[in-house]
Amino acid sequence: LVNILGKDILKADGLMGPGVDPHLYQATESDVKKLQNADVIFYNGLHLEGKMSDLFEEMSKLNIPAYAVTDAINTSKLLAAGEDYGKNFDPHIWSDVRLWKEVVEFVKNKLAALDPANADIYSINAQSYLKELDALQEYINKRILEVPKNKRILITAHDAFAYFGNAYDFTVLGLQGISTETEAGISDVKNLAEFIAQNKVPAIFIETSVQTRHIEALKEAVFSRGFNVKIGGRLFSDSLGDPGEAEGTYTGMIKHNVDTIVDALKQ
Ligand code: ZN
């Protein structure tokens, strides 16, 4: 997003590459150097980068502006993280395009304030990107209709899709909680397997930034209950795809997810 808004003006460097799990990520020494040399730092916040919060605070003390982009969103629109996470909010807001649009405005405003000379350019870039996001939203709205409401059940390795479910009327169930730090227990696998077999949910999904063994164990547990659930494909939950590929961008990643989910659940 920062690279899109600041195209030709600034260079944004991401610390976590494709397939990296932000919940578990620990900054390396070279990351710390990059942060210390940055003009501005943007991060997701709401404890997504669970092991890095202290580091972001340290940077603020060094007078390097560090912004949690989820500050863009009014808490009334945030979803609770669930009973294991106290009063925290679910950090995975990007799976609802409407919320990501608010992040675009937020980042644009921060960049314009830090670099007023280029404020007009940030604004023009934001406007054209928001149009792209509107088109993405329309695409999703259309594709989602291919899955009847009673078939809209999305089961993934960890709970990254609650905002998606909220926006597009899916029941979302994750084997692990909203952070991959919590391990799936045997009873979680059992209960979910029971649910899948009973409701004949056609497909469950792996995620590019989470180990696949839990979902494979779930598939086996469903099979032992006399139902054959498919692995519906790989979803980009907490990480983009490779740069240069369609899934290496936000819009490409969301489109891939929607296509994968709809194709697997519609039959
Ligand atoms: Zn996550």
Side-chain angles (χ1 to χ4, degrees):
L1 172 58
V2 176
N3 272 329
I4 289 168
L5 298 184
K7 191 174 51 168
D8 304 328
I9 302 174
L10 52 76
K11 187 179 164 287
D13 218 351
L15 299 186
M16 302 174 203
V20 173
D21 181 344
H23 300 286
L24 305 177
Y25 188 79
Q26 274 171 315
T28 63
E29 233 168 274
S30 83
D31 290 342
V32 175
K33 276 205 191 99
K34 278 186 194 168
L35 290 170
Q36 284 167 338
N37 289 320
D39 295 308
V40 56
I41 297 163
F42 291 101
Y43 61 104
N44 187 79
L46 299 177
H47 304 288
L48 178 78
E49 303 94 340
K51 310 229 184 271
M52 292 180 69
S53 323
D54 295 346
L55 192 54
F56 294 133
E57 265 167 46
E58 255 175 64
M59 293 303 133
S60 298
K61 280 183 205 141
L62 294 174
N63 285 324
I64 301 168
Y67 301 111
V69 300
T70 45
D71 281 352
I73 295 154
N74 190 294
T75 51
S76 67
K77 295 181 192 170
L78 294 175
L79 301 175
E83 47 195 44
D84 293 341
Y85 301 93
K87 289 207 161 46
N88 290 332
F89 291 112
D90 182 339
H92 306 89
I93 56 104
W94 56 89
S95 68
D96 182 343
V97 177
R98 295 169 303 185
L99 299 182
W100 194 242
K101 284 173 67 180
E102 297 190 29
V103 171
V104 174
E105 295 281 355
F106 177 88
V107 174
K108 177 203 75 181
N109 290 337
K110 295 296 179 202
L111 290 175
L114 288 163
D115 179 20
N118 287 312
D120 286 351
I121 300 179
Y122 297 128
S123 180
I124 291 166
N125 290 344
Q127 266 171 19
S128 85
Y129 192 50
L130 287 168
K131 272 194 200 136
E132 200 181 319
L133 295 182
D134 285 336
L136 176 67
Q137 179 75 68
E138 256 175 63
Y139 179 84
I140 300 170
N141 289 342
K142 222 167 89 192
R143 280 240 63 191
I144 290 304
L145 295 177
E146 294 176 45
V147 185
K149 283 220 169 127
N150 63 347
K151 295 271 179 207
R152 291 187 194 171
I153 300 173
L154 176 59
I155 297 171
T156 55
H158 92 298
D159 252 336
F161 292 91
Y163 291 94
F164 177 87
N166 189 44
Y168 310 114
D169 223 352
F170 274 73
T171 301
V172 175
L173 298 165
L175 197 47
Q176 287 165 278
I178 62 150
S179 170
T180 50
E181 276 187 300
T182 28
E183 277 288 314
I186 293 169
S187 69
D188 298 325
V189 175
K190 253 184 165 173
N191 291 339
L192 205 46
E194 206 72 63
F195 177 87
I196 294 165
Q198 252 170 34
N199 292 281
K200 301 207 168 5
V201 179
I204 56 181
F205 299 88
I206 53 177
E207 298 166 45
T208 63
S209 54
V210 185
Q211 290 187 355
T212 56
R213 63 188 162 96
H214 295 299
I215 284 293
E216 277 151 13
L218 179 61
K219 181 180 160 59
E220 270 172 42
V222 176
F223 193 70
S224 74
R225 284 165 176 76
F227 181 68
N228 196 2
V229 66
K230 274 186 313 185
I231 304 279
R234 283 181 335 147
L235 302 180
F236 293 89
S237 50
D238 291 7
S239 168
L240 294 173
D242 290 323
E245 286 179 18
E247 294 82 14
T249 66
Y250 172 78
T251 49
M253 146 199 190
I254 297 287
K255 204 164 164 268
H256 166 95
N257 287 347
V258 170
D259 287 339
T260 304
I261 293 165
V262 170
D263 289 344
L265 296 181
K266 70 178 178 184
Q267 33 323 39

